[in-house]
Amino acid sequence: MNLSQSQNLTQTQTQKQTLSPQLLQGIHLLQLGRLDVRDYLEQKVLENPFLQLKVRESRVSRSGGPANDLSWIPDRKQSLYEYITEQVMLTYRDTYLRTLIVWWINQLNDKGYVIKSIEEAVTETKTAPIQLMDALTLLQQLDPPGIGARNLQECLMLQTERREDAPDIAYLVLEESFDDLINRKWGAISKRYAVPLESIQKVFDFIQHLTPSPGMAFQSEEQISVRPDIIVTIKDAQLQINESRYGVPILSFNKAYAEELEQHKDKEVAKYIKDKKKEYESLQESLAIRSETILRVSTAIVHRQAAFFFDEAHPLAPLQLKDIADELGLHESTISRAINDTYIQTDSGIYELKHFFSRKAKTDQSDALSTSSVQQRIQKLIEEEDKHKPLSDQKIVDILTGEQIDISRRTVAKYRTELNIPSTSKRKRFD
């Protein structure tokens, strides 16, 4: 037998790592938010008759204040359809024209715009275009202003003609030069109507206060409540980090029910009880590990970002998952799961833990600056600039260089875009 044959006959052994059901359960629980944990446990209660679940209830709003105990009861808000139909029924007699107005109401989308053209309306209703236009015009005279518009331009025009404080040329500019106004070709508009740039600036400022979607105010808003997992306070110039106990699901085992069944002296029943109790203990251990991990990770993050809690500017130091993982001796995936849908309450509001991670800014200096810190500085410079002579990206580079922050013009442009700050030409004012 040659060597190759013997190698083929050699049995090779490989090691394959498998995760235990308990470990998989712990990983799953760690990546769930508090409300999802509760849903998960409620499902387990349905599967295990010995499990009991209680929750310390208290709602916390995004601003950090306690909400009313009745906040879970949804408000009955009048719909857009109900609001407009009510006006029609109170204003117009029962005629075919009123029937057409109601037909148009049924063609409104959530924004309050009609979604059918006159041509489509003619096809569907078998009605003359002039009658349909009359009905649409009457709809557009109802509240809220701008309702029944066919596009943004018409929506703004409908609102403008009902506003006594509208600039004199506002309606005309919206009607004839809408694209130029939106694209800031104000010089062309100024020449077209022989008015100064300041007048065009006033028109643009005016439309900023109009409503592009008049129907959205009638959409039912889902009540959003956030339960913070961690509460950070400052006491005696020291950061205090504590778990929030409100909304925490409390799992218990119905010992009395188990003892009652055990009196039957049935081996299968005894085994069933034993298995269900073991399942309960496994869940308790997984919950404890989840709680401990979130607290450890949160504490490490808070200490790394201590300046955020003491400084009114709330600066963030560069921080990545790897930094916390190395400090705690955990895998990056564990840190990622721990910060997922986890919220921390501070004196300045409630933040998701992800908020405290910030990559290092691309600068030439040796001292580490986070992207967030540099972006905050750029935003402040633009907020304080002379709007008649806004700062160019290169000018911002020069200012930052003078502050020992060496950054390229391209990076400034990138950060400005991420902050949703328009370019110099679109920030310039003429009044």
Side-chain angles (χ1 to χ4, degrees):
M1 182 182 294
N2 58 35
L3 182 60
S4 63
Q5 288 176 318
S6 65
Q7 287 176 335
N8 290 335
L9 295 176
T10 301
Q11 184 177 4
T12 59
Q13 293 182 343
T14 59
Q15 279 190 332
K16 185 177 180 180
Q17 185 177 10
T18 58
L19 300 178
S20 67
Q22 182 174 344
L23 184 56
L24 287 172
Q25 177 178 263
I27 292 174
H28 180 65
L29 280 172
L30 184 59
Q31 64 189 8
L32 296 179
R34 183 170 294 185
L35 293 178
D36 293 327
V37 168
R38 177 176 174 176
D39 292 340
Y40 178 83
L41 294 179
E42 286 177 346
Q43 181 60 41
K44 290 297 181 182
V45 168
L46 295 177
E47 299 170 2
N48 187 335
F50 302 100
L51 294 182
Q52 295 176 314
L53 186 65
K54 293 182 180 180
V55 178
R56 291 190 184 126
E57 278 296 351
S58 176
R59 294 176 180 269
V60 180
S61 66
R62 285 191 181 275
S63 62
N68 190 293
D69 289 338
L70 300 179
S71 62
W72 61 274
I73 301 176
D75 292 331
R76 174 65 176 92
K77 178 182 286 189
Q78 189 177 32
S79 70
L80 177 64
Y81 175 84
E82 291 170 338
Y83 180 66
I84 301 176
T85 302
E86 184 178 273
Q87 294 178 65
V88 172
M89 296 305 172
L90 293 173
T91 307
Y92 302 110
R93 291 182 293 109
D94 186 8
T95 63
Y96 184 59
L97 185 61
R98 189 173 80 173
T99 301
L100 290 178
I101 298 175
V102 174
W103 183 88
W104 277 117
I105 293 174
N106 283 286
Q107 315 311 313
L108 295 173
N109 62 14
D110 290 344
K111 293 182 177 180
Y113 290 13
V114 295
I115 56 176
K116 295 287 179 67
S117 66
I118 294 294
E119 293 75 15
E120 291 171 321
V122 169
T123 302
E124 289 193 24
T125 64
K126 310 300 181 185
T127 303
I130 187 65
Q131 287 181 290
L132 287 164
M133 274 303 304
D134 287 344
L136 180 58
T137 300
L138 291 174
L139 170 61
Q140 292 174 346
Q141 293 175 5
L142 300 176
D143 286 330
I147 198 69
R150 287 163 286 185
N151 51 50
L152 175 61
Q153 180 182 6
E154 187 174 36
C155 181
L156 298 177
M157 289 169 60
L158 289 171
Q159 294 177 64
T160 299
E161 67 179 353
R162 293 168 66 173
R163 290 276 295 267
E164 294 181 359
D165 60 335
D168 293 338
I169 62 169
Y171 189 90
L172 183 63
V173 171
L174 286 170
E175 183 178 32
E176 298 180 350
S177 305
F178 180 72
D179 290 339
D180 284 345
L181 179 67
I182 298 303
N183 294 317
R184 286 183 176 262
K185 296 180 179 179
W186 295 357
I189 301 175
S190 175
K191 292 179 181 178
R192 188 174 303 143
Y193 301 110
V195 296
L197 284 171
E198 289 85 345
S199 297
I200 310 303
Q201 176 77 67
K202 289 179 180 178
V203 172
F204 188 80
D205 290 345
F206 170 76
I207 68 170
Q208 300 303 304
H209 295 89
L210 300 180
T211 305
S213 305
M216 293 306 291
F218 292 84
Q219 299 305 304
S220 59
E221 297 180 2
E222 180 184 0
Q223 279 192 314
I224 299 175
S225 60
V226 174
R227 294 179 173 88
D229 298 85
I230 302 295
I231 299 176
V232 177
T233 55
I234 300 175
K235 185 177 181 180
D236 299 328
Q238 297 292 323
L239 289 171
Q240 304 289 325
I241 306 168
N242 298 291
E243 287 183 275
S244 170
R245 306 310 302 169
Y246 293 120
V248 174
I250 303 172
L251 196 65
S252 61
F253 189 81
N254 193 335
K255 188 176 180 182
Y257 181 45
E259 290 176 347
E260 180 183 338
L261 293 182
E262 285 174 342
Q263 291 178 1
H264 294 286
K265 306 298 182 181
D266 187 301
K267 290 184 178 179
E268 289 188 6
V269 172
K271 184 179 183 304
Y272 178 78
I273 295 173
K274 183 179 179 180
D275 291 343
K276 293 303 178 183
K277 187 174 184 180
K278 186 176 181 180
E279 181 180 306
Y280 158 74
E281 292 170 347
S282 175
L283 272 170
Q284 285 286 55
E285 184 176 349
S286 296
L287 288 170
I289 292 174
R290 176 186 182 277
S291 178
E292 179 187 358
T293 303
I294 289 177
L295 182 59
R296 287 184 64 202
V297 171
S298 301
T299 301
I301 292 172
V302 169
H303 286 157
R304 288 289 191 108
Q305 300 289 12
F308 175 91
F309 302 92
F310 290 104
D311 192 328
E312 290 184 359
H314 303 304
L316 288 175
L319 184 64
Q320 298 182 357
L321 295 177
K322 186 177 185 301
D323 300 326
I324 301 298
D326 291 344
E327 178 180 335
L328 300 180
L330 298 172
H331 197 276
E332 286 184 43
S333 62
T334 303
I335 307 301
S336 178
R337 283 190 289 267
I339 67 174
N340 181 52
D341 202 21
T342 300
Y343 290 85
I344 181 169
Q345 180 177 318
T346 74
D347 291 340
S348 59
I350 295 179
Y351 301 85
E352 193 171 8
L353 272 181
K354 293 177 182 178
H355 173 79
F356 295 92
F357 288 86
S358 180
R359 63 188 184 278
K360 181 179 179 181
K362 294 181 179 179
T363 67
D364 297 329
Q365 63 190 76
S366 57
D367 294 336
L369 277 175
S370 72
T371 297
S372 176
S373 297
V374 177
Q375 286 181 338
Q376 286 179 16
R377 182 58 184 140
I378 291 173
Q379 187 167 27
K380 186 172 178 59
L381 286 173
I382 292 176
E383 286 174 354
E384 297 176 349
E385 71 184 356
D386 180 354
K387 297 305 179 184
H388 298 96
K389 296 180 180 179
L391 298 172
S392 66
D393 291 342
Q394 183 57 53
K395 182 60 177 177
I396 293 174
V397 169
D398 296 340
I399 294 173
L400 293 178
T401 299
E403 297 175 355
Q404 307 301 312
I405 301 175
D406 296 320
I407 190 172
S408 69
R409 184 190 60 78
R410 180 173 296 180
T411 302
V412 168
K414 175 187 174 185
Y415 288 173
R416 179 175 51 73
T417 302
E418 290 176 356
L419 292 168
N420 294 317
I421 297 175
S423 62
T424 305
S425 61
K426 292 185 177 181
R427 300 200 309 272
K428 185 174 183 179
R429 296 188 62 86
F430 298 91
D431 52 359

PDB file of all heavy atoms in Angstrom, residues 314-338:
ATOM      1  N   HIS A 314     -22.402  68.700  24.875  1.00  0.00           N
ATOM      2  CA  HIS A 314     -22.550  67.247  24.701  1.00  0.00           C
ATOM      3  C   HIS A 314     -21.606  66.685  23.635  1.00  0.00           C
ATOM      4  O   HIS A 314     -22.040  66.050  22.673  1.00  0.00           O
ATOM      5  CB  HIS A 314     -23.992  66.899  24.341  1.00  0.00           C
ATOM      6  CG  HIS A 314     -24.994  67.379  25.350  1.00  0.00           C
ATOM      7  ND1 HIS A 314     -24.923  67.029  26.689  1.00  0.00           N
ATOM      8  CD2 HIS A 314     -26.077  68.186  25.216  1.00  0.00           C
ATOM      9  CE1 HIS A 314     -25.929  67.596  27.334  1.00  0.00           C
ATOM     10  NE2 HIS A 314     -26.628  68.313  26.479  1.00  0.00           N
ATOM     11  N   PRO A 315     -20.294  66.925  23.783  1.00  0.00           N
ATOM     12  CA  PRO A 315     -19.341  66.389  22.794  1.00  0.00           C
ATOM     13  C   PRO A 315     -19.213  64.873  22.928  1.00  0.00           C
ATOM     14  O   PRO A 315     -19.397  64.305  24.008  1.00  0.00           O
ATOM     15  CB  PRO A 315     -18.035  67.086  23.170  1.00  0.00           C
ATOM     16  CG  PRO A 315     -18.157  67.307  24.651  1.00  0.00           C
ATOM     17  CD  PRO A 315     -19.608  67.620  24.890  1.00  0.00           C
ATOM     18  N   LEU A 316     -18.878  64.228  21.838  1.00  0.00           N
ATOM     19  CA  LEU A 316     -18.655  62.782  21.833  1.00  0.00           C
ATOM     20  C   LEU A 316     -17.228  62.486  21.412  1.00  0.00           C
ATOM     21  O   LEU A 316     -16.740  63.021  20.412  1.00  0.00           O
ATOM     22  CB  LEU A 316     -19.624  62.088  20.873  1.00  0.00           C
ATOM     23  CG  LEU A 316     -21.086  62.002  21.295  1.00  0.00           C
ATOM     24  CD1 LEU A 316     -21.916  61.391  20.174  1.00  0.00           C
ATOM     25  CD2 LEU A 316     -21.235  61.191  22.574  1.00  0.00           C
ATOM     26  N   ALA A 317     -16.575  61.642  22.182  1.00  0.00           N
ATOM     27  CA  ALA A 317     -15.231  61.193  21.823  1.00  0.00           C
ATOM     28  C   ALA A 317     -15.348  60.052  20.821  1.00  0.00           C
ATOM     29  O   ALA A 317     -16.375  59.372  20.777  1.00  0.00           O
ATOM     30  CB  ALA A 317     -14.483  60.727  23.074  1.00  0.00           C
ATOM     31  N   PRO A 318     -14.319  59.829  20.001  1.00  0.00           N
ATOM     32  CA  PRO A 318     -14.371  58.687  19.075  1.00  0.00           C
ATOM     33  C   PRO A 318     -14.558  57.388  19.861  1.00  0.00           C
ATOM     34  O   PRO A 318     -13.847  57.137  20.832  1.00  0.00           O
ATOM     35  CB  PRO A 318     -13.000  58.725  18.388  1.00  0.00           C
ATOM     36  CG  PRO A 318     -12.521  60.129  18.547  1.00  0.00           C
ATOM     37  CD  PRO A 318     -13.063  60.591  19.861  1.00  0.00           C
ATOM     38  N   LEU A 319     -15.495  56.584  19.462  1.00  0.00           N
ATOM     39  CA  LEU A 319     -15.765  55.330  20.174  1.00  0.00           C
ATOM     40  C   LEU A 319     -16.352  54.325  19.197  1.00  0.00           C
ATOM     41  O   LEU A 319     -17.299  54.627  18.476  1.00  0.00           O
ATOM     42  CB  LEU A 319     -16.737  55.574  21.329  1.00  0.00           C
ATOM     43  CG  LEU A 319     -17.035  54.366  22.223  1.00  0.00           C
ATOM     44  CD1 LEU A 319     -15.769  53.904  22.948  1.00  0.00           C
ATOM     45  CD2 LEU A 319     -18.115  54.697  23.240  1.00  0.00           C
ATOM     46  N   GLN A 320     -15.781  53.128  19.204  1.00  0.00           N
ATOM     47  CA  GLN A 320     -16.265  52.069  18.336  1.00  0.00           C
ATOM     48  C   GLN A 320     -16.578  50.825  19.149  1.00  0.00           C
ATOM     49  O   GLN A 320     -16.162  50.695  20.307  1.00  0.00           O
ATOM     50  CB  GLN A 320     -15.224  51.755  17.249  1.00  0.00           C
ATOM     51  CG  GLN A 320     -14.944  52.938  16.329  1.00  0.00           C
ATOM     52  CD  GLN A 320     -13.946  52.596  15.239  1.00  0.00           C
ATOM     53  OE1 GLN A 320     -13.406  51.494  15.195  1.00  0.00           O
ATOM     54  NE2 GLN A 320     -13.696  53.545  14.361  1.00  0.00           N
ATOM     55  N   LEU A 321     -17.296  49.905  18.535  1.00  0.00           N
ATOM     56  CA  LEU A 321     -17.665  48.662  19.217  1.00  0.00           C
ATOM     57  C   LEU A 321     -16.434  47.929  19.738  1.00  0.00           C
ATOM     58  O   LEU A 321     -16.442  47.382  20.842  1.00  0.00           O
ATOM     59  CB  LEU A 321     -18.437  47.745  18.261  1.00  0.00           C
ATOM     60  CG  LEU A 321     -19.810  48.227  17.778  1.00  0.00           C
ATOM     61  CD1 LEU A 321     -20.397  47.225  16.791  1.00  0.00           C
ATOM     62  CD2 LEU A 321     -20.760  48.399  18.958  1.00  0.00           C
ATOM     63  N   LYS A 322     -15.365  47.957  18.949  1.00  0.00           N
ATOM     64  CA  LYS A 322     -14.151  47.238  19.318  1.00  0.00           C
ATOM     65  C   LYS A 322     -13.560  47.768  20.625  1.00  0.00           C
ATOM     66  O   LYS A 322     -13.015  46.999  21.427  1.00  0.00           O
ATOM     67  CB  LYS A 322     -13.117  47.337  18.195  1.00  0.00           C
ATOM     68  CG  LYS A 322     -11.865  46.497  18.413  1.00  0.00           C
ATOM     69  CD  LYS A 322     -10.940  46.593  17.221  1.00  0.00           C
ATOM     70  CE  LYS A 322      -9.745  45.657  17.396  1.00  0.00           C
ATOM     71  NZ  LYS A 322      -8.952  45.956  18.604  1.00  0.00           N
ATOM     72  N   ASP A 323     -13.667  49.082  20.838  1.00  0.00           N
ATOM     73  CA  ASP A 323     -13.112  49.677  22.059  1.00  0.00           C
ATOM     74  C   ASP A 323     -13.794  49.106  23.299  1.00  0.00           C
ATOM     75  O   ASP A 323     -13.132  48.747  24.276  1.00  0.00           O
ATOM     76  CB  ASP A 323     -13.296  51.200  22.022  1.00  0.00           C
ATOM     77  CG  ASP A 323     -12.604  51.838  20.833  1.00  0.00           C
ATOM     78  OD1 ASP A 323     -11.538  51.333  20.444  1.00  0.00           O
ATOM     79  OD2 ASP A 323     -13.141  52.828  20.297  1.00  0.00           O
ATOM     80  N   ILE A 324     -15.108  49.016  23.269  1.00  0.00           N
ATOM     81  CA  ILE A 324     -15.846  48.485  24.414  1.00  0.00           C
ATOM     82  C   ILE A 324     -15.641  46.979  24.531  1.00  0.00           C
ATOM     83  O   ILE A 324     -15.517  46.445  25.642  1.00  0.00           O
ATOM     84  CB  ILE A 324     -17.349  48.807  24.284  1.00  0.00           C
ATOM     85  CG1 ILE A 324     -17.557  50.319  24.197  1.00  0.00           C
ATOM     86  CG2 ILE A 324     -18.133  48.233  25.452  1.00  0.00           C
ATOM     87  CD1 ILE A 324     -17.090  51.084  25.412  1.00  0.00           C
ATOM     88  N   ALA A 325     -15.601  46.303  23.393  1.00  0.00           N
ATOM     89  CA  ALA A 325     -15.391  44.847  23.403  1.00  0.00           C
ATOM     90  C   ALA A 325     -14.046  44.497  24.029  1.00  0.00           C
ATOM     91  O   ALA A 325     -13.938  43.575  24.852  1.00  0.00           O
ATOM     92  CB  ALA A 325     -15.473  44.301  21.979  1.00  0.00           C
ATOM     93  N   ASP A 326     -13.007  45.236  23.666  1.00  0.00           N
ATOM     94  CA  ASP A 326     -11.679  44.985  24.232  1.00  0.00           C
ATOM     95  C   ASP A 326     -11.641  45.272  25.727  1.00  0.00           C
ATOM     96  O   ASP A 326     -11.028  44.539  26.506  1.00  0.00           O
ATOM     97  CB  ASP A 326     -10.625  45.839  23.507  1.00  0.00           C
ATOM     98  CG  ASP A 326     -10.397  45.394  22.069  1.00  0.00           C
ATOM     99  OD1 ASP A 326     -10.819  44.265  21.738  1.00  0.00           O
ATOM    100  OD2 ASP A 326      -9.834  46.171  21.285  1.00  0.00           O
ATOM    101  N   GLU A 327     -12.308  46.342  26.132  1.00  0.00           N
ATOM    102  CA  GLU A 327     -12.311  46.706  27.549  1.00  0.00           C
ATOM    103  C   GLU A 327     -13.024  45.670  28.414  1.00  0.00           C
ATOM    104  O   GLU A 327     -12.559  45.344  29.519  1.00  0.00           O
ATOM    105  CB  GLU A 327     -12.998  48.075  27.721  1.00  0.00           C
ATOM    106  CG  GLU A 327     -13.096  48.526  29.170  1.00  0.00           C
ATOM    107  CD  GLU A 327     -13.765  49.876  29.312  1.00  0.00           C
ATOM    108  OE1 GLU A 327     -13.726  50.674  28.349  1.00  0.00           O
ATOM    109  OE2 GLU A 327     -14.346  50.138  30.394  1.00  0.00           O
ATOM    110  N   LEU A 328     -14.110  45.124  27.909  1.00  0.00           N
ATOM    111  CA  LEU A 328     -14.910  44.177  28.704  1.00  0.00           C
ATOM    112  C   LEU A 328     -14.580  42.725  28.436  1.00  0.00           C
ATOM    113  O   LEU A 328     -15.096  41.828  29.114  1.00  0.00           O
ATOM    114  CB  LEU A 328     -16.402  44.418  28.432  1.00  0.00           C
ATOM    115  CG  LEU A 328     -16.941  45.817  28.762  1.00  0.00           C
ATOM    116  CD1 LEU A 328     -18.433  45.896  28.437  1.00  0.00           C
ATOM    117  CD2 LEU A 328     -16.695  46.155  30.229  1.00  0.00           C
ATOM    118  N   GLY A 329     -13.728  42.477  27.446  1.00  0.00           N
ATOM    119  CA  GLY A 329     -13.394  41.095  27.121  1.00  0.00           C
ATOM    120  C   GLY A 329     -14.555  40.351  26.485  1.00  0.00           C
ATOM    121  O   GLY A 329     -14.723  39.142  26.679  1.00  0.00           O
ATOM    122  N   LEU A 330     -15.358  41.078  25.721  1.00  0.00           N
ATOM    123  CA  LEU A 330     -16.507  40.476  25.047  1.00  0.00           C
ATOM    124  C   LEU A 330     -16.327  40.587  23.533  1.00  0.00           C
ATOM    125  O   LEU A 330     -15.497  41.346  23.045  1.00  0.00           O
ATOM    126  CB  LEU A 330     -17.800  41.188  25.458  1.00  0.00           C
ATOM    127  CG  LEU A 330     -18.171  41.133  26.940  1.00  0.00           C
ATOM    128  CD1 LEU A 330     -19.372  42.040  27.220  1.00  0.00           C
ATOM    129  CD2 LEU A 330     -18.484  39.700  27.365  1.00  0.00           C
ATOM    130  N   HIS A 331     -17.116  39.819  22.801  1.00  0.00           N
ATOM    131  CA  HIS A 331     -17.050  39.898  21.348  1.00  0.00           C
ATOM    132  C   HIS A 331     -17.813  41.130  20.871  1.00  0.00           C
ATOM    133  O   HIS A 331     -18.773  41.573  21.506  1.00  0.00           O
ATOM    134  CB  HIS A 331     -17.660  38.634  20.731  1.00  0.00           C
ATOM    135  CG  HIS A 331     -17.287  38.444  19.284  1.00  0.00           C
ATOM    136  ND1 HIS A 331     -17.976  39.057  18.251  1.00  0.00           N
ATOM    137  CD2 HIS A 331     -16.295  37.723  18.708  1.00  0.00           C
ATOM    138  CE1 HIS A 331     -17.426  38.719  17.094  1.00  0.00           C
ATOM    139  NE2 HIS A 331     -16.403  37.905  17.342  1.00  0.00           N
ATOM    140  N   GLU A 332     -17.385  41.691  19.737  1.00  0.00           N
ATOM    141  CA  GLU A 332     -18.061  42.874  19.192  1.00  0.00           C
ATOM    142  C   GLU A 332     -19.539  42.608  18.917  1.00  0.00           C
ATOM    143  O   GLU A 332     -20.383  43.498  19.079  1.00  0.00           O
ATOM    144  CB  GLU A 332     -17.375  43.323  17.897  1.00  0.00           C
ATOM    145  CG  GLU A 332     -16.036  44.017  18.125  1.00  0.00           C
ATOM    146  CD  GLU A 332     -15.426  44.524  16.829  1.00  0.00           C
ATOM    147  OE1 GLU A 332     -16.183  45.091  16.006  1.00  0.00           O
ATOM    148  OE2 GLU A 332     -14.222  44.330  16.623  1.00  0.00           O
ATOM    149  N   SER A 333     -19.864  41.375  18.504  1.00  0.00           N
ATOM    150  CA  SER A 333     -21.260  41.043  18.231  1.00  0.00           C
ATOM    151  C   SER A 333     -22.098  41.122  19.505  1.00  0.00           C
ATOM    152  O   SER A 333     -23.275  41.488  19.461  1.00  0.00           O
ATOM    153  CB  SER A 333     -21.371  39.654  17.615  1.00  0.00           C
ATOM    154  OG  SER A 333     -20.879  38.667  18.510  1.00  0.00           O
ATOM    155  N   THR A 334     -21.480  40.798  20.653  1.00  0.00           N
ATOM    156  CA  THR A 334     -22.192  40.892  21.926  1.00  0.00           C
ATOM    157  C   THR A 334     -22.492  42.352  22.257  1.00  0.00           C
ATOM    158  O   THR A 334     -23.588  42.686  22.716  1.00  0.00           O
ATOM    159  CB  THR A 334     -21.370  40.261  23.058  1.00  0.00           C
ATOM    160  OG1 THR A 334     -21.081  38.893  22.730  1.00  0.00           O
ATOM    161  CG2 THR A 334     -22.108  40.313  24.376  1.00  0.00           C
ATOM    162  N   ILE A 335     -21.517  43.227  22.010  1.00  0.00           N
ATOM    163  CA  ILE A 335     -21.717  44.663  22.259  1.00  0.00           C
ATOM    164  C   ILE A 335     -22.816  45.189  21.343  1.00  0.00           C
ATOM    165  O   ILE A 335     -23.696  45.943  21.770  1.00  0.00           O
ATOM    166  CB  ILE A 335     -20.417  45.446  22.020  1.00  0.00           C
ATOM    167  CG1 ILE A 335     -19.256  44.849  22.829  1.00  0.00           C
ATOM    168  CG2 ILE A 335     -20.616  46.915  22.354  1.00  0.00           C
ATOM    169  CD1 ILE A 335     -19.490  44.828  24.307  1.00  0.00           C
ATOM    170  N   SER A 336     -22.776  44.761  20.087  1.00  0.00           N
ATOM    171  CA  SER A 336     -23.775  45.201  19.119  1.00  0.00           C
ATOM    172  C   SER A 336     -25.174  44.787  19.545  1.00  0.00           C
ATOM    173  O   SER A 336     -26.126  45.570  19.451  1.00  0.00           O
ATOM    174  CB  SER A 336     -23.457  44.609  17.737  1.00  0.00           C
ATOM    175  OG  SER A 336     -24.429  44.990  16.789  1.00  0.00           O
ATOM    176  N   ARG A 337     -25.313  43.556  20.040  1.00  0.00           N
ATOM    177  CA  ARG A 337     -26.625  43.093  20.494  1.00  0.00           C
ATOM    178  C   ARG A 337     -27.072  43.848  21.746  1.00  0.00           C
ATOM    179  O   ARG A 337     -28.249  44.151  21.925  1.00  0.00           O
ATOM    180  CB  ARG A 337     -26.580  41.580  20.767  1.00  0.00           C
ATOM    181  CG  ARG A 337     -26.622  40.724  19.506  1.00  0.00           C
ATOM    182  CD  ARG A 337     -26.831  39.269  19.848  1.00  0.00           C
ATOM    183  NE  ARG A 337     -25.654  38.681  20.466  1.00  0.00           N
ATOM    184  CZ  ARG A 337     -24.705  38.045  19.801  1.00  0.00           C
ATOM    185  NH1 ARG A 337     -24.793  37.915  18.487  1.00  0.00           N
ATOM    186  NH2 ARG A 337     -23.673  37.519  20.425  1.00  0.00           N
ATOM    187  N   ALA A 338     -26.113  44.152  22.630  1.00  0.00           N
ATOM    188  CA  ALA A 338     -26.460  44.814  23.897  1.00  0.00           C
ATOM    189  C   ALA A 338     -26.968  46.242  23.689  1.00  0.00           C
ATOM    190  O   ALA A 338     -27.811  46.722  24.443  1.00  0.00           O
ATOM    191  CB  ALA A 338     -25.250  44.821  24.829  1.00  0.00           C
TER     192      ALA A 338
END
